[in-house]
Structure formats: C-alpha cells, structure tokens
Amino acid sequence: MAGIRLHVISPLVLVAVRKCARDPSVYVRKCAANALPKVNDLRLEENTSAIIEIIGILLNDNSPGVVGAAAAAFTSICPNNLPLIGRNYKRLCEILPDVEEWGQIILIGILLRYVIARHGLAKESIMASLLPNIFSNEKTGSESDTDYLDIKKKYEIGIEETELAGMVSRSYLAGQDKYLSVLDNNSDVMASEHVSSLFTSSKHDESVKILLHCTSPLLWSRNSAVVLAAAGVHWIMAPMEEISKIVKPLLFLLRSSDASKYVVLCNIQVFAKVMPSLFAPNIEDFFINSSDAYQVKSLKLEILSTIATDASISVIFQEFQDYVRDPDRRFAADTVAAIGLCAKRNPQVAKTCVEGLLALISPKSNTCGFADDEAVVLIQAITSIKDIIKQDPASHENPIIFLIRNLDTIKVSVARAMIVWIGGEYNSIGNIIPKMVPVILRFLARSFPSEPIETKYQILNAAAKVLLNSKGEDFDTAKNILSYMLELAKFDLNYDVRDRARILRKLLSCYFTSSRIEEKEKADNNEIEIPVLLAEHVFGENVKSSIETVNKRFYLPGSLSQIVFHAAPGYEPLPEPCSLTESDMVKGLEGPDQTEVNDSDVDSGSLNEEGSYYSEDSVTASTRTDDESATSETGNNNNTDSLISFADVSKPQEETNDISELMSKGDLESWLGDNNGQGQSQSQSQSVDERIPSARISIGDISARIKPNIYTLLDPTYGNGLKVEYKYSLEASTISPSLVSVDTFFQNCSSDPMSKLILTDEDSESVDQGSSESQKDEPVFVPMEEITTLEPGQSIKRVIHVHFHHHLLPLKLTLWCNDQKHPVKLRPDIGYFIKPLIMNLDAFSQKESQLPGMFEYTRSCSFTDHLAEVASDDKDGGMSSTKDSFLIICQSLASKMLSNANLHLVSVNMPVDAHLNDASGLCLRFSGEILSNSIPCLISVMVYGNCFEPLNASVKINCEETVFGLNLLNRIVNFLAEPRLTS
C-alpha cells in the first residue's frame, strides 16, 4: 500500500515542484530548488530525467539565490552531468560573486570540475609543473614553453621534495586510493606520451580566464570556506606567477577563530611543501601566539621549518629559542624537531643547529634530568641530531664523540638506545671514534643485564657492526666483546633479546671460527658463505638508511578530507582532464533546452521583490526628451510649483503560459483541481503585470538651500586672536583632478596686525604638483600662498589642495603666524572625495544594473528635516497645500545631500497614485565619481512614511570600490539622521 501511495504522490509532487520552478517569485523558485534533493530521494527512475530538466531551468535563473540552491541540487543529484553546466557556464561564472556564501563554495567546485573535464589543466599552472615528463616529448622551442621553464626555475618548484610535490598533483587527479595502489605497482598514473594533450593555456583559454577572474574577488570573502575554495581554483588553474595572490587572503584568515585557523593552516601546509617560496616572505605570520592551541602551534612549526631560507633562518632560530623554553614540554619537543628539519633543508646551518641541540642534552642542562616531561625533549633532541648526522656523517665527528662521552649521564632508555645506534653506525669515522667505541662496548657489556630492552637491542647491533669493520687486533677484541654479549643475551629474561642473540650468532658464526684475514681471502676468491653475505647486507657500511615515512595522503584544497586525512563521504577527486568531449556535450544538449524557458516571468518576479523602481526608472527615462532631462538635471527650472512633468511609466507585459506547457493537465486536475489551478494561474499573471505608476518631478532651483558645513581650524583663543575656518569647495582642484579643494578663511580678531601667515604640513616639507599625485602612505598637501600681512578685523580667503588617503585620519598641518607655530588638524570629509558625474536617467539605470550584489550596499535611517517646514506650510495653506509637502520633502532631502557631498542630482521620482500624506515611494538619485580613480558612485534615496512624521530613508549605493562605498554610505546615513540646525 505504501508503495502504491509513493508511485501516486511522487509524480504529483514533481509536477508541483516543476510549476514552482517557473513561479514569478524568487523565493518560490528557491524553495523548488531546495526541494529537488528530497524529491530525488523517492528513488523513482522515471523522475530522474524530469528532475535534471528542472535543475537545468533553475541553473539558468537570474536570481543568485535560486542559482545557489540549484547548484546544491546539482551536486546532490547529478554531479557528473557536466554538459548541463556547459550550457550556462559563462552566466554561472558571472553570477558567482552574487550567490550566497555556501552556494559559492558548491558552485566553485562545479565550475572547476567542468573546466578541467572540458578543457584540461593549465600548462602554466603549478599542477603542470608537478607532473613529470609533461613536455619531455615535445621540443617545440616556442616562446611560451621558454617562459614556462623560466617561471618554474624562478619559483624553485619541487627542488627539495620533487617526489612529494608530484604526489600532491597526482592525488588531486587520480584520487588517493587509486593513486596509492598505482604507486605500489611502480607505475605512473598518467602516461607521458599523451599527458601533454591534457593541458590548455590559462592565458589564452577564455573559459579558464573567466573562472579565474570571477573567483578573484572571492579571495577576500568574509567566509573562510569561500576563500579556501577560491584559493583552490587559483592553486590548480592559475599561472605560477599569479599564484601569489592567494597568500594574503589565506594569511588574513589566520586572524579568525581557532577552528578556522587550523583548517587554513592544514591547507597552507600542503601549499608550502609544494612551493616553499610562496610563503617564505611571510614568516612572521606563522610565529606562535600564546593563545594558539597545540594543534595550531604544531602546524605553524612545520610550516616555518618548510619555508625557512638562508635569509630568514636566523630570525626563525631566535623564535625557536623562546619556544624551547615554553612550559609545555610537548611543544618544546616539537620545536626541537622543527630545528632538525630546518637543518636538513638548509645544510649551511646544520652545524649551528647541532650545537644548539647538544646544549639541550648537556649534563649542565636541566633537560637531561629524569622528569618525564623533560625526557620528551631529550629524545627529540637526539633524534634531530641523528637525522642531521645522516646527511653528512664525516663532518659531524665531534657531535658523535660528545654523545658517546655523555652516554653515562643519560638514563632515558630510548635516548640511550639512539646514542648506542649512532656509535655503532658511525664506528669507523675519523680517528677518535674507532678507538672510543670498543671502550664503550666494554662498559656496556658490564651493565648489559641491567640495561633496558631497547638499549640491549642496539648494543648487540653495535657490537656486530664494530666486528664487521674491525681489522687486525681490533677484530679479535671486537669478537671477544660480541661473544661475551651473546652469552649474556642467551640467558636474558626477554625472549626477543634471546632470539636476536641466536640470529646474530648464526649469521656471524664464521667470524667466530676463522680470522678476518681468512674471510677476506675467501671473498677475493668468490667463496664467501651466504651467512657472511647476509651479515654484510644487514650491518655493512654500504647499507642505506631507511627512507623516512611521509604522509602520502593529499586531498583537494578546502575539502574535509584534507583535514581528516581520509576520503570523507562525498569526496570526489578532480575529473580526468579533457574527459568531456564534444560528443558528450552534444548528447547533453539533446535533452530539454533551457533556452525554451521564458525569462520574462523570472525577470519580472525578481524585480518585483527587489524593488519596483528599477524598471520604472528605465521606462521613465525613455519617455522623456533630452531637453526635459537636461532641464531637470541642472535644477534650473524656474517653475517652483509642487508637481510638474508627470510621466506614466507603467506598461503591462504580455502574459505567458510557459508553466502550463511543463505540466500535465490531468495531473493538475487531480492534484489541484481544475478551477483552483486556473484561479491560481490568473492571480499569478495579474501579480506579475502589476506595476506602480511613477513620474518624474522637478524640485526647482535649490542652490540657495545648499550650505556646505564650515569647520574651525584654529580658534582665536588658542591662536592669539587669529581665527581660521575652512569648508570643502564644490569646485574642482586647479592643480590635479585627484586633489580636494578646501576654502580657508583667515580672520584677525585682535587689535594688532599679523604677518607671514602660511599653512604647511607637519614636517614643513614642500610638495610640488608632480609629487602631489604620487601614491604615498601619508596624505599629500599642496602649500597655500603666503599672507604677508593681515590687518585687525581683516579677513582673507585662500584655497589649499589636499589629497587624503583615508577618510578618517586627519591631516596634521602647521600654521605659522608672526613666526609662531600653531599645530592644527584638517579633518577629512568623504563626501568631498568625489565629484559630480553628469548623467541622465538612462545612463544611471544602465550603470546601476551592472553593479548588483557585492557592489551594492543599503542602510536605513530616520529623516526629520522636513517636519518644521511641512508643518508651517500646512498651517498657512490648509488642504490646498497638502500636495506641496512632497515637494518640501524632496527639496529638504536634496539640499541635505548636496550640502554634505559633492554630487549631481540625476532625478526625482514619486508614485503617481500616492495616497494623501503618504510619502512612500519618493526616490532621489545622485551620481558622482571618485576623485582618485574616476570610478562611478551611484546613490539612491527612497523615502517611506507619512509627510507629517519622521520618515524612514533607505539609502542604496552602487560602487565597485567596496570599502569606499561602505564608508560613504555610513557618512550619508549619519548626516541624514542629524536634525537640521535652526537659525
């Protein structure tokens, strides 16, 4: 029965979801996208193609929220159906910055997989440099290949850990389990004869370029997961010379929470291993903080030891000296291990490292005590010394001697065992060690029964190595010592020690029955016995040290698997490059084409919910002539009547019946009912076609109401009677278009004349016109013309030109008067860091449509400047003046904006069907451009509320300079909320 219900309900649910996917409302379409994975869980095969069809429709949506939900549904239902992404690839890249943050993470992964599957990896990227023999069979000698090799040499890719670096790249492509299984079979993942055909150019391939371009702004997202996802795209696909752009965003994330910091460091650790030069200039960002968790400290130590260079190693060692003294001895032991890694990667500092490590195990040091926490540091110090000695044993004779001499003072079993191993392994180095080792072995033979088990193992091994390397009289001595130890081990309480002694006696039996000279003669005659060969192989001088175990598990950047070091549920490696062929794309296009979707419903639904005045403005502008536009924009219309120049801008759109085409009429009748379905369709069509009529109005000449603020630079009380005020000028600077003009007024309020008045910067450094445009960290100030004399009561105006680099930091100046110095501060006003940008409503609407999403910021505030004027006008004029209150509000709002910011008034719009005293819908638009870079800045102020009450003003700014736009928005909201000063 349940199965029957499932087969009946599932198609009906799918029909409902399909209808919602075409709904005019953004929120309904988003809910439909979120519902698709649940519908897919019904596990009906006949529903799969229909669900994929709906996903294709939703991926083509104009709303970023719907696209993000559709991307999540795509990943859950059909993650390998990449032809579906190919249809909308360019649009998805363009809309990516506007999608919600968690949708951005999913969409970035989808787009990256599509680019690799369709076009391949970028040959200029780090991935190409890590795969071996890519260009070995192609000697083209082209300029691009030469540049590629030069870049690879510049960044020293894989010089120290070439095998590890290649392992990272192949793990990304083949998947961890597949790669490790192939690695065990000693074969390559990708055949070198065809690997070069799997690469494209990131500098010439448009699909790769647009992906890198659209993910670049996301490197500065506030969501650390988005930053990691964007960084992963650049790590895999960007040219090597451009990978450095991911460094600062990743380092910025280290200032976040401990959890995020740990995840970021896990990814930086892999990046640093593959390309140490990438983070080498930023060693200070990896210094340990006292508040860091232990796991974070360990990762920072490993990264520091990886990126250490000849120039930075001394600074790093100074930090390590403090870390070694940390109360957390486990962290101190990790620091000691990091010192050893630095010495291995930088052989020129190996001697210094060994000296520091020997100081830790010196008898005079407390670290060689018997406390358990100090034992950890001691063991790690000897381990690091052992690793350093392996690199070049001949140059480290003195450290070996030091360890052997202090063997008696070290009581930790593991540490003693390592020192015995070092003595036995390098028993033939130099002139002193061969003489010391037999003496030490005699000493150890006496204490053999009481030694720990680990030390017993190494004592037996060391005695065997000494025997193999001995000659003449030393051979007899070594043979006697080993024979004595084997007898002691024969009766040891531990069976492992007894077994080891039994094996050694069997391997070296020939040495106990004959002399060393006889064995040499047999070797020359090729008659040496098999046990001797085994002994030489196990303990001989030519035995190579075992390769250190390296963590071979690498997963895609930003994935959970890279943190837990195993393939988490849902993890997939990158697809095989160029696996998505043209025929696959054609097969994908044979399905339902999303171009059949009528976008008018989608567009109108988005506009309805995001603000109807977008569409109104564009139509209003088209219905007005150029002469009318110019008259309204300049504000010089002498007619000051309340409302003029009406223009109806509402135009109903044609009804569409696309939804009915995607639904079965029978299913709808049984599920919704015929009447209900028709009524719902009609109501939706009506809601789509409804438009609020709007009109342009002229507010007349308001130049008399524009009064820029005047600030005090020097008060007469502190200036010995000199009063200096300033205001920001609306005129452009005559020196440079990037400078701000400031009108400065000097007034002598005393009874004595003043002389030699001049303003200079704090350091009294003159700045000429050329240097005023240079980009410096400090503001640029162009000195004013000197005032030779200022008589009592006289006032003189001077214009100074300033270039601020920050809207909050004041410019420190020095005012000289009568050879006296007065320090003053010129405070910036971000409202005058822009200049008017003359444009009509068409240009405003077009530019505004190009700056949605992350380039759009909105805040609300209360506006009360109109209250006094509206109230007095209502008292004087009665009911006939009611409609003039709209004009008063617009004039008050415009004058307040133009008195505090250097802007151009583009248009003033109001709803035609506005109710009595209801000002909701009034909209004023202003335009300007930033002085420093001429980037447009568009401002829209929408008013809501009753004319005789405080209004709610919603301020929206569209600007590509996000930081500047947010700061300007805060400034506008602050001065709009300030009450008007009554004179």
Side-chain angles (χ1 to χ4, degrees):
M1 189 68 182
I4 296 176
R5 290 179 180 176
L6 182 63
H7 282 78
V8 172
I9 294 176
S10 177
L12 301 180
V13 173
L14 186 59
V15 169
V17 172
R18 182 184 293 173
K19 178 179 180 181
C20 293
R22 296 293 191 96
D23 194 273
S25 173
V26 175
Y27 307 105
V28 175
R29 300 199 301 274
K30 183 176 180 180
C31 290
N34 290 328
L36 287 176
K38 297 295 183 182
V39 176
N40 187 64
D41 289 342
L42 297 176
R43 304 295 184 187
L44 296 180
E45 296 295 334
E46 59 270 17
N47 292 347
T48 304
S49 59
I51 293 175
I52 295 177
E53 173 191 349
I54 298 175
I55 293 176
I57 295 173
L58 294 173
L59 284 174
N60 193 43
D61 200 277
N62 290 333
S63 172
V66 177
V67 172
F74 175 87
T75 304
S76 175
I77 298 172
C78 51
N80 297 321
N81 193 350
L82 295 178
L84 198 63
I85 303 299
R87 304 176 190 172
N88 310 283
Y89 174 76
K90 187 174 182 180
R91 284 195 64 259
L92 292 175
C93 288
E94 293 173 350
I95 205 172
L96 176 62
D98 299 329
V99 177
E100 59 185 357
E101 293 171 343
W102 296 111
Q104 287 175 343
I105 300 170
I106 298 173
L107 193 54
I108 288 173
I110 294 173
L111 295 175
L112 175 62
R113 290 171 56 82
Y114 168 77
V115 168
I116 294 177
R118 184 71 182 94
H119 303 279
L121 295 170
K123 68 178 181 180
E124 301 90 353
S125 66
I126 188 72
M127 291 282 287
S129 66
L130 301 183
L131 293 173
N133 302 324
I134 291 178
F135 301 106
S136 60
N137 297 329
E138 297 183 3
K139 304 296 183 180
T140 59
S142 63
E143 183 179 355
S144 59
D145 292 343
T146 305
D147 296 340
Y148 161 77
L149 295 175
D150 292 340
I151 294 172
K152 180 177 179 180
K153 182 178 180 181
K154 174 183 177 182
Y155 289 98
E156 299 180 355
I157 305 299
I159 287 180
E160 297 178 356
E161 300 186 19
T162 307
E163 181 180 355
L164 176 65
M167 191 184 305
V168 173
S169 179
R170 288 183 256 184
S171 296
Y172 288 171
L173 289 174
Q176 193 62 53
D177 297 335
K178 179 181 177 181
Y179 170 68
L180 291 179
S181 62
V182 173
L183 189 66
D184 294 336
N185 296 329
N186 295 323
S187 60
D188 205 341
V189 177
M190 303 174 69
S192 60
E193 57 269 13
H194 73 277
V195 70
S196 60
S197 63
L198 305 181
F199 287 83
T200 183
S201 173
S202 60
K203 297 180 179 179
H204 302 96
D205 193 309
E206 290 298 326
S207 298
V208 179
K209 288 170 64 177
I210 190 174
L211 177 61
L212 295 176
H213 176 73
C214 293
T215 53
S216 293
L218 301 183
L219 290 172
W220 294 103
S221 172
R222 62 183 179 180
N223 189 309
S224 56
V226 176
V227 177
L228 279 176
V233 172
H234 287 263
W235 174 252
I236 294 172
M237 297 299 295
M240 281 186 284
E241 65 269 22
E242 297 180 8
I243 294 181
S244 58
K245 67 168 59 177
I246 72 173
V247 174
K248 289 186 178 180
L250 292 176
L251 296 180
F252 183 79
L253 295 181
L254 298 182
R255 298 174 176 86
S256 55
S257 63
D258 287 340
S260 298
K261 190 187 304 183
Y262 175 76
V263 173
V264 174
L265 286 172
C266 286
N267 288 274
I268 291 179
Q269 179 188 26
V270 178
F271 297 160
K273 284 182 178 180
V274 176
M275 195 172 181
S277 60
L278 196 62
F279 294 91
N282 306 98
I283 58 172
E284 294 182 357
D285 292 278
F286 302 103
F287 287 171
I288 309 297
N289 298 323
S290 58
S291 59
D292 288 339
Y294 171 75
Q295 292 80 3
V296 173
K297 292 180 179 179
S298 300
L299 285 172
K300 284 186 175 181
L301 282 176
E302 185 168 355
I303 293 172
L304 281 174
S305 61
T306 302
I307 65 177
T309 60
D310 297 346
S312 62
I313 194 68
S314 59
V315 180
I316 294 176
F317 279 168
Q318 290 178 0
E319 282 289 315
F320 284 173
Q321 290 177 6
D322 295 333
Y323 302 161
V324 171
R325 294 190 291 268
D326 193 275
D328 186 357
R329 304 314 294 168
R330 183 174 58 162
F331 170 57
D334 292 341
T335 305
V336 173
I339 294 174
L341 291 176
C342 289
K344 290 174 62 178
R345 293 190 173 98
N346 301 271
Q348 70 279 2
V349 298
K351 183 177 180 181
T352 305
C353 294
V354 171
E355 291 176 354
L357 295 173
L358 290 176
L360 294 175
I361 62 177
S362 173
K364 299 179 181 179
S365 175
N366 295 327
T367 56
C368 62
F370 298 96
D372 293 338
D373 54 352
E374 298 295 343
V376 177
V377 180
L378 174 65
I379 293 171
Q380 187 57 61
I382 298 178
T383 303
S384 298
I385 293 174
K386 183 181 73 172
D387 293 338
I388 296 173
I389 292 174
K390 282 183 181 180
Q391 305 300 314
D392 187 10
S395 62
H396 294 92
E397 180 181 2
N398 292 333
I400 298 174
I401 295 173
F402 179 88
L403 292 174
I404 295 175
R405 285 179 175 174
N406 290 276
L407 179 62
D408 190 34
T409 61
I410 297 175
K411 305 301 181 183
V412 180
S413 59
V414 178
R416 288 176 62 84
M418 283 191 291
I419 295 177
V420 173
W421 182 91
I422 292 174
E425 183 70 17
Y426 308 112
N427 63 86
S428 60
I429 293 178
N431 298 322
I432 301 177
I433 296 178
K435 300 177 181 178
M436 292 182 62
V437 172
V439 178
I440 294 298
L441 288 178
R442 290 194 189 97
F443 169 77
L444 294 174
R446 297 192 188 98
S447 60
F448 185 85
S450 60
E451 291 286 350
I453 297 176
E454 297 90 347
T455 309
K456 290 180 180 179
Y457 294 156
Q458 299 304 327
I459 290 174
L460 294 175
N461 293 342
K465 294 176 183 178
V466 171
L467 177 64
L468 292 175
N469 293 326
S470 299
K471 299 178 183 178
E473 297 179 358
D474 295 335
F475 175 78
D476 296 332
T477 303
K479 183 172 67 175
N480 294 334
I481 295 174
L482 179 60
S483 178
Y484 177 74
M485 290 183 178
L486 293 177
E487 286 296 324
L488 292 176
K490 181 179 179 181
F491 302 99
D492 196 90
L493 297 178
N494 186 275
Y495 63 87
D496 286 333
V497 176
R498 297 196 300 269
D499 290 345
R500 178 164 299 203
R502 202 172 290 114
I503 292 174
L504 288 176
R505 184 179 293 278
K506 184 66 176 176
L507 284 176
L508 304 174
S509 59
C510 57
Y511 289 94
F512 295 107
T513 58
S514 61
S515 65
R516 181 68 170 173
I517 299 176
E518 293 175 352
E519 293 299 330
K520 289 291 183 181
E521 291 177 353
K522 291 182 179 180
D524 295 338
N525 297 328
N526 296 326
E527 297 177 359
I528 192 167
E529 299 179 359
I530 293 180
V532 177
L533 292 175
L534 291 175
E536 292 285 349
H537 179 75
V538 175
F539 301 108
E541 297 179 356
N542 297 327
V543 176
K544 296 182 180 179
S545 59
S546 60
I547 301 176
E548 296 182 5
T549 58
V550 179
N551 184 11
K552 298 180 180 180
R553 298 197 170 271
F554 299 99
Y555 298 88
L556 290 175
S559 63
L560 173 63
S561 303
Q562 182 57 44
I563 309 302
V564 298
F565 294 113
H566 65 80
Y571 174 83
E572 288 290 338
L574 293 176
E576 183 179 350
C578 298
S579 59
L580 187 63
T581 61
E582 190 69 30
S583 59
D584 296 332
M585 295 295 296
V586 172
K587 289 180 182 179
L589 291 175
E590 291 176 356
D593 192 352
Q594 77 275 9
T595 56
E596 298 175 359
V597 181
N598 192 325
D599 294 337
S600 61
D601 288 343
V602 180
D603 294 341
S604 61
S606 302
L607 294 176
N608 250 346
E609 287 146 27
E610 296 176 3
S612 60
Y613 57 90
Y614 284 103
S615 58
E616 295 169 7
D617 295 345
S618 59
V619 182
T620 304
S622 62
T623 58
R624 298 175 64 250
T625 62
D626 294 338
D627 294 336
E628 291 175 345
S629 177
T631 303
S632 177
E633 288 161 6
T634 56
N636 293 329
N637 194 332
N638 296 326
N639 188 352
T640 58
D641 292 340
S642 58
L643 297 175
I644 60 174
S645 300
F646 281 91
D648 188 4
V649 300
S650 61
K651 287 188 177 180
Q653 295 184 357
E654 298 179 357
E655 292 187 7
T656 56
N657 296 320
D658 308 71
I659 298 175
S660 60
E661 296 176 2
L662 291 176
M663 295 183 296
S664 169
K665 184 175 180 181
D667 289 339
L668 280 179
E669 290 175 354
S670 61
W671 177 248
L672 301 173
D674 190 30
N675 294 332
N676 295 336
Q678 292 177 358
Q680 186 175 1
S681 301
Q682 292 176 359
S683 63
Q684 289 175 350
S685 300
Q686 292 173 0
S687 64
V688 171
D689 294 335
E690 288 179 355
R691 293 292 182 272
I692 301 175
S694 176
R696 280 288 297 273
I697 68 172
S698 172
I699 60 175
D701 187 6
I702 60 171
S703 57
R705 301 170 62 108
I706 300 175
K707 298 178 181 179
N709 296 326
I710 299 178
Y711 307 95
T712 300
L713 188 65
L714 181 64
D715 191 87
T717 306
Y718 301 101
N720 298 328
L722 177 62
K723 180 180 180 181
V724 183
E725 296 179 329
Y726 68 94
K727 69 174 183 179
Y728 286 92
S729 175
L730 300 179
E731 301 295 331
S733 172
T734 58
I735 296 179
S736 171
S738 63
L739 297 181
V740 179
S741 298
V742 183
D743 295 335
T744 312
F745 305 93
F746 299 83
Q747 183 179 1
N748 187 351
C749 300
S750 67
S751 57
D752 299 324
M754 299 178 181
S755 61
K756 297 182 179 179
L757 281 77
I758 189 171
L759 270 173
T760 62
D761 62 0
E762 190 177 39
D763 299 329
S764 300
E765 296 177 357
S766 298
V767 183
D768 57 8
Q769 176 181 350
S771 62
S772 66
E773 297 180 19
S774 63
Q775 297 295 329
K776 299 182 179 179
D777 294 335
E778 300 297 330
V780 176
F781 171 73
V782 180
M784 57 168 249
E785 181 184 354
E786 181 181 352
I787 301 176
T788 56
T789 305
L790 188 64
E791 298 297 333
Q794 185 181 5
S795 179
I796 296 180
K797 173 186 174 181
R798 287 286 187 269
V799 180
I800 61 176
H801 305 273
V802 186
H803 179 65
F804 294 95
H805 284 285
H806 199 281
H807 74 286
L808 293 177
L809 300 179
L811 177 58
K812 297 179 181 180
L813 303 176
T814 302
L815 175 59
W816 294 88
C817 178
N818 296 332
D819 295 330
Q820 291 184 355
K821 179 180 179 181
H822 302 281
V824 293
K825 291 183 179 179
L826 184 67
R827 302 192 177 277
D829 189 342
I830 195 174
Y832 293 91
F833 289 10
I834 56 179
K835 62 181 179 181
L837 177 61
I838 308 300
M839 62 169 54
N840 56 26
L841 197 54
D842 274 331
F844 185 97
S845 302
Q846 182 180 3
K847 188 62 181 177
E848 187 182 40
S849 65
Q850 297 172 0
L851 299 173
M854 63 185 297
F855 302 125
E856 181 175 300
Y857 337 98
T858 305
R859 280 191 63 184
S860 299
C861 65
S862 179
F863 182 72
T864 59
D865 284 19
H866 66 290
L867 290 179
E869 193 172 352
V870 170
S872 61
D873 183 72
D874 186 52
K875 283 183 181 180
D876 297 337
M879 293 302 294
S880 62
S881 64
T882 301
K883 58 184 179 182
D884 290 340
S885 59
F886 292 97
L887 179 64
I888 294 173
I889 293 173
C890 293
Q891 289 178 340
S892 300
L893 192 57
S895 61
K896 191 68 172 285
M897 288 287 295
L898 298 177
S899 296
N900 291 271
N902 197 8
L903 296 167
H904 166 66
L905 177 60
V906 177
S907 67
V908 180
N909 284 68
M910 66 165 292
V912 174
D913 56 350
H915 299 287
L916 187 64
N917 297 334
D918 187 6
S920 299
L922 281 177
C923 181
L924 284 76
R925 294 175 177 81
F926 304 86
S927 60
E929 63 180 3
I930 305 174
L931 291 176
S932 59
N933 49 27
S934 299
I935 292 179
C937 188
L938 310 180
I939 303 171
S940 302
V941 183
M942 181 76 78
V943 175
Y944 303 94
N946 193 287
C947 295
F948 298 96
E949 297 177 357
L951 297 172
N952 182 25
S954 177
V955 184
K956 179 169 67 73
I957 288 185
N958 296 82
C959 182
E960 294 180 22
E961 285 285 347
T962 56
V963 177
F964 183 90
L966 288 171
N967 292 328
L968 180 59
L969 177 62
N970 294 333
R971 170 64 180 151
I972 293 175
V973 169
N974 290 336
F975 68 66
L976 285 181
E978 293 177 356
R980 185 179 63 175
L981 298 177
T982 57
S983 55

